[in-house]
């Protein structure tokens, strides 16, 4: 008998295009990807709202973190995408479908944007693309999005992409830069059966 909690195997991990963006798998063996990953995690704004379980302080840490994302895809429990513009291929940020439970068909989404790419709706457009892929290609029923209470920008992104607020989870994530103190999380959720959301046309980039 098959274990219901057994991994479903390696996930399809294609390139996804739309809304002026291209989403592709991260490559821990490509220097440009490693440096973009490292810049993302060292960004003070990222560190203000997120606390990785393992510190990422240098190139080796970044490669190890990226390799863990590759392994998650191979095991069928996660898919991490490098977000680039549709033509240039320069990394703009990250979006991931994480902690996939293939039994109840639920997963968590997360994203970040590099400082020089902010103000261009990159996170909004990337989240919309990744969400559609997760529902249509992976057959998921529910996606959850949690952010630290007070992170209003992330709250707006979630709402715009059809993730209504569902409540507050007490002490559900670590405080910034600490593994011994906790803070509350604002929870958003979206179902495959929720109405589609229409994004405005992507802004013209300089």
């Amino acid at each position: 008998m098959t274990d219901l909690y057994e991994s479903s195997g390696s996930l399809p991990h294609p390139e996804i295009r739309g809304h002026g963006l291209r989403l592709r798998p991260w490559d821990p063996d490509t220097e440009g990807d490693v440096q973009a990953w490292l810049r993302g995690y060292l960004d003070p704004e990222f560190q203000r709202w997120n606390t990785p379980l393992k510190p990422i302080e240098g190139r080796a840490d970044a490669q190890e973190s990226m390799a863990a994302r590759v392994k998650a895809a191979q095991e069928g429990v996660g898919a991490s995408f490098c977000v680039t513009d549709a033509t240039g291929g320069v990394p703009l940020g990250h979006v991931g479908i994480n902690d996939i439970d293939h039994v109840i068909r639920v997963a968590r989404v997360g994203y970040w944007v590099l400082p020089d790419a902010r103000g261009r709706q990159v996170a909004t457009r990337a989240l919309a693309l990744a969400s559609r892929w997760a529902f249509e290609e992976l057959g998921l029923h529910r996606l959850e999005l949690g952010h630290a209470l007070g992170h209003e920008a992330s709250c707006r992104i979630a709402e715009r992409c059809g993730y209504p607020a569902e409540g507050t989870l007490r002490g559900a994530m670590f405080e910034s830069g600490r593994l011994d103190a906790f803070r509350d999380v604002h929870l958003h959720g979206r179902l495959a059966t929720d109405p589609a959301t229409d994004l405005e046309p992507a802004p013209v980039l300089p």
Side-chain angles (χ1 to χ4, degrees):
M1 179 181 293
T2 301
D3 185 346
L4 288 177
Y5 294 92
E6 188 174 275
S7 168
S8 65
S10 180
L11 293 180
H13 210 163
E15 290 191 353
I16 306 171
R17 293 177 179 267
H19 301 310
L21 298 177
R22 176 170 68 117
L23 275 53
R24 60 165 177 81
W26 288 95
D27 183 358
D29 295 320
T30 298
E31 188 63 22
D33 279 15
V34 174
Q35 292 303 321
W37 190 267
L38 184 58
R39 284 192 295 125
Y41 275 79
L42 292 180
D43 171 45
E45 188 67 9
F46 174 88
Q47 294 185 353
R48 177 185 177 192
W49 299 111
N50 303 276
T51 304
L53 295 180
K54 296 182 68 174
I56 298 175
E57 299 174 344
R59 186 178 183 280
D61 297 332
Q63 282 190 300
E64 182 180 353
S65 175
M66 295 170 75
R69 300 299 183 112
V70 172
K71 182 180 179 183
Q74 292 170 343
E75 295 177 347
V77 294
S80 296
F81 295 95
C82 176
V83 181
T84 78
D85 61 74
T87 55
V90 176
L92 305 175
H94 160 81
V95 64
I97 310 297
N98 311 308
D99 302 330
I100 300 172
D101 183 330
H102 294 279
V103 178
I104 199 170
R105 292 159 48 205
V106 65
R108 298 168 128 189
V109 298
Y111 48 82
W112 48 259
V113 176
L114 291 169
D116 53 355
R118 291 185 185 135
R120 293 153 54 179
Q121 301 178 0
V122 171
T124 301
R125 293 182 282 146
L127 177 59
L129 286 175
S131 301
R132 185 176 65 193
W133 177 78
F135 287 136
E136 295 180 357
E137 300 301 324
L138 300 186
L140 297 182
H141 170 66
R142 175 177 167 85
L143 294 174
E144 296 182 348
L145 187 162
H147 61 80
L149 201 65
H151 194 347
E152 298 302 329
S154 198
C155 204
R156 289 192 297 270
I157 290 166
E159 296 277 0
R160 192 156 184 264
C161 288
Y163 287 75
E166 295 184 340
T168 300
L169 306 178
R170 296 178 300 149
M173 71 183 297
F174 287 121
E175 283 283 3
S176 176
R178 298 180 61 178
L179 299 180
D180 62 347
F182 299 86
R183 56 183 165 178
D184 295 347
V185 169
H186 200 201
L187 178 66
H188 299 253
R190 176 165 182 161
L191 304 181
T193 52
D194 285 343
T197 57
D198 293 324
L199 298 183
E200 297 174 5
V204 177
L205 305 181

